[in-house]
Amino acid sequence: MNEPYDFVSKLARAYPTSGIRAMFDMAVNYPDAINLCNGEPNFDTPEHIKESGIRAIQNGMLKYGTEPGLAAMRDAVASKYTREFGYDYDISNVMISIGAVEGILLCLLAILNPGEEVIIPDPAYTCYEGQVRTLGGIPVRVPLHEEHGFRLQAEELEKAITPKTKAMIICYPSNPLGAVLTEDAGKKLAAVIRKHNIMVISDEVYEKIIFDGRTHFSLGQIAEIRDKVLVVNSLSKTYAMTGWRIGYIVGADQEIMRYMFKMQQAVASCLQPFIMQAGADAINGSQDCVEEMRQHYERRRNLLVDGLAEIPGMKCFRTEGSFCTFVNIKDYGVSSLDFSKDLLSEGGVITVSGTTFGQMGEGYLRICFANSDENIIKGVERIQKHLSKKYGI
Ligand SMILES: Cc1ncc(COP(=O)(O)O)c(C=O)c1O
């Protein structure tokens, strides 16, 4: 008789489980709970984009394509970045991906060797660490602090760099923090990046969801390091297209991009042409829908943040961009995970523990406002009622 054999890979066993998924699994038992957990637009994809996808299907755009993606969409992205960053881009600088999640993986596949280190802020979006580990890389977490507006500090970045550092991943506007990158902070980071010659994977999926008159700033705009920056973006948030699974990478270094195109052979081979056609039309078409949704998000940000500010002990970072606010709950003296679980089981509101995004998230809760005004108002009322009953505040 053969010995029983464990067929499951060590990677699969050790792969971090998403805390967001765990919260949703728990929430199944509370069907009336209000969902302030979802980082997903609650808008429908704009009609003209849907129509473009349908037309493309009717026109037979249903065959295999090439690894880097449909030329029409790559061209739309190149024109957008030529316009917005002020440098010349063409399709050799652009790769289309299955959302930003595959975009980040493709960047890592193109540049990372096993044993090399990748700097990841703490807290950060959950997929980065697992993807780095998948490729045998070593994630090195660098703390972000509330007193610095959750912006990565150049000194902290430099302290984390070793001879093994290959790259850093950065995300602004940030999920889960709601912070944006200022030009000043970006330039300080750029000096360190240049000095140590490391690559940057810059997750900018919330670039258009930005508030109070701010404008998005990308490390890819800084001339001295732009060949080191791979900008990862997506249509998921900007155009409410999460289920279409479409994103892209823009890089000034054409050699890296060529290898990235090749690495799509290891993942999906190619993407769906009709979806990329709709993506091209979304980017080339009127951007009024983007501004309209942004205005709704800003109003909802105000509803949530102003509402929470009335509750003692809920110290809310005023979201500068993205769909989420990171709330300091340290005054309650309870772990973030217990706090979020109680809020669900006793208060009827789904949120996420800050620790889902790294250990620096202890003492924080992520609350999202990609929801209706009515649900946000009801959610804040429930949080207030729950805390008042439980802690007598
Ligand atoms: C910071 C960040 N990056 C990437 C993604 C994934 O985007 P996509 O749907 O394009 O894969 C998300 C989705 O929540 C996100 O919040």
Side-chain angles (χ1 to χ4, degrees):
M1 271 264 289
N2 288 338
E3 286 294 308
Y5 189 81
D6 181 2
F7 285 101
V8 178
S9 72
K10 291 191 183 78
L11 171 69
R13 285 212 189 278
Y15 202 85
T17 308
S18 159
I20 300 169
R21 179 67 48 218
M23 209 58 196
F24 278 131
D25 289 346
M26 256 182 74
V28 169
N29 302 316
Y30 304 94
D32 296 330
I34 292 178
N35 182 353
L36 298 185
C37 172
N38 246 9
E40 172 162 20
N42 62 324
F43 296 107
D44 206 7
T45 303
E47 281 309 313
H48 70 282
I49 302 175
K50 286 198 255 179
E51 281 161 15
S52 161
I54 293 165
R55 231 180 5 256
I57 290 176
Q58 286 166 340
N59 289 341
M61 296 184 77
L62 297 164
K63 305 287 187 198
Y64 287 135
T66 58
E67 289 91 356
L70 189 75
M73 178 160 179
R74 293 166 73 204
D75 192 50
V77 173
S79 301
K80 164 183 152 64
Y81 279 83
T82 301
R83 225 167 31 241
E84 294 182 0
F85 280 16
Y87 304 107
D88 283 339
Y89 293 94
D90 62 39
I91 64 169
S92 61
N93 301 110
V94 180
M95 162 139 210
I96 313 301
S97 59
I98 311 169
V101 170
E102 195 215 9
I104 295 157
L105 184 66
L106 286 167
C107 292
L108 292 168
L109 279 165
I111 65 172
L112 191 66
N113 295 305
E116 290 177 336
E117 294 174 357
V118 180
I119 292 172
I120 300 173
D122 181 355
Y125 179 58
T126 47
C127 84
Y128 309 145
E129 185 159 336
Q131 291 191 334
V132 168
R133 285 193 194 285
T134 297
L135 300 186
I138 302 165
V140 175
R141 304 301 295 261
V142 179
L144 301 181
H145 303 281
E146 192 176 352
E147 61 267 32
H148 296 132
F150 293 119
R151 278 180 269 277
L152 179 59
Q153 300 298 293
E155 311 78 59
E156 302 243 32
L157 170 64
E158 187 152 30
K159 257 195 282 169
I161 294 175
T162 75
K164 285 193 196 162
T165 307
K166 183 59 156 295
M168 62 184 276
I169 302 179
I170 192 170
C171 173
Y172 290 108
S174 164
N175 170 17
L177 303 163
V180 304
L181 185 68
T182 58
E183 187 167 346
D184 184 48
K187 285 187 168 158
K188 287 184 180 140
L189 292 176
V192 176
I193 291 157
R194 193 173 181 204
K195 178 172 160 196
H196 295 277
N197 198 27
I198 60 172
M199 289 295 299
V200 180
I201 299 170
S202 185
D203 179 344
E204 303 182 9
V205 301
Y206 295 99
E207 59 152 355
K208 298 294 181 199
I209 299 164
I210 191 159
F211 308 129
D212 308 316
R214 290 181 175 84
T215 47
H216 174 61
F217 183 75
S218 166
L219 291 178
Q221 288 172 262
I222 301 177
E224 293 78 10
I225 59 159
R226 62 183 287 269
D227 60 329
K228 302 276 173 303
V229 182
L230 299 168
V231 174
V232 178
N233 206 338
S234 163
L235 279 68
S236 288
K237 319 288 177 174
T238 305
Y239 300 99
M241 290 176 74
T242 45
W244 297 64
R245 309 306 301 125
I246 182 128
Y248 55 85
I249 305 110
V250 180
D253 185 321
Q254 291 174 346
E255 188 186 16
I256 291 178
M257 295 308 294
R258 269 200 307 279
Y259 282 103
M260 197 184 293
F261 303 160
K262 184 164 95 168
M263 293 315 294
Q264 182 65 291
Q265 292 171 9
V267 187
S269 166
C270 59
L271 271 70
Q272 308 84 335
F274 59 97
I275 291 183
M276 291 188 280
Q277 184 58 56
D281 288 340
I283 294 169
N284 285 334
S286 163
Q287 302 300 296
D288 291 353
C289 56
V290 176
E291 173 56 16
E292 209 175 291
M293 288 189 271
R294 192 205 65 76
Q295 285 177 13
H296 285 296
Y297 292 130
E298 182 154 343
R299 188 187 65 254
R300 289 165 186 183
R301 187 276 315 257
N302 294 343
L303 277 177
L304 180 69
V305 171
D306 295 342
L308 291 174
E310 301 283 312
I311 305 174
M314 296 292 272
K315 294 181 188 149
C316 209
F317 181 74
R318 193 169 189 83
T319 310
E320 299 165 340
S322 86
F323 299 147
C324 9
T325 180
F326 218 51
V327 187
N328 181 328
I329 51 160
K330 291 179 183 172
D331 284 358
Y332 288 96
V334 186
S335 84
S336 294
L337 189 60
D338 287 345
F339 194 93
S340 61
K341 283 182 177 170
D342 288 352
L343 200 48
L344 171 60
S345 60
E346 299 166 20
V349 182
I350 316 173
T351 58
V352 192
S353 162
T355 47
T356 300
F357 308 98
Q359 4 181 51
M360 288 299 289
E362 187 53 270
Y364 294 88
L365 205 61
R366 188 193 77 169
I367 308 186
C368 290
F369 49 85
N371 209 320
S372 65
D373 293 25
E374 188 194 356
N375 277 344
I376 294 168
I377 293 167
K378 225 191 285 176
V380 171
E381 276 169 14
R382 285 191 186 182
I383 293 171
Q384 196 277 331
K385 229 185 245 169
H386 164 72
L387 296 176
S388 155
K389 195 163 153 204
K390 193 163 179 91
Y391 300 97
I393 53 128

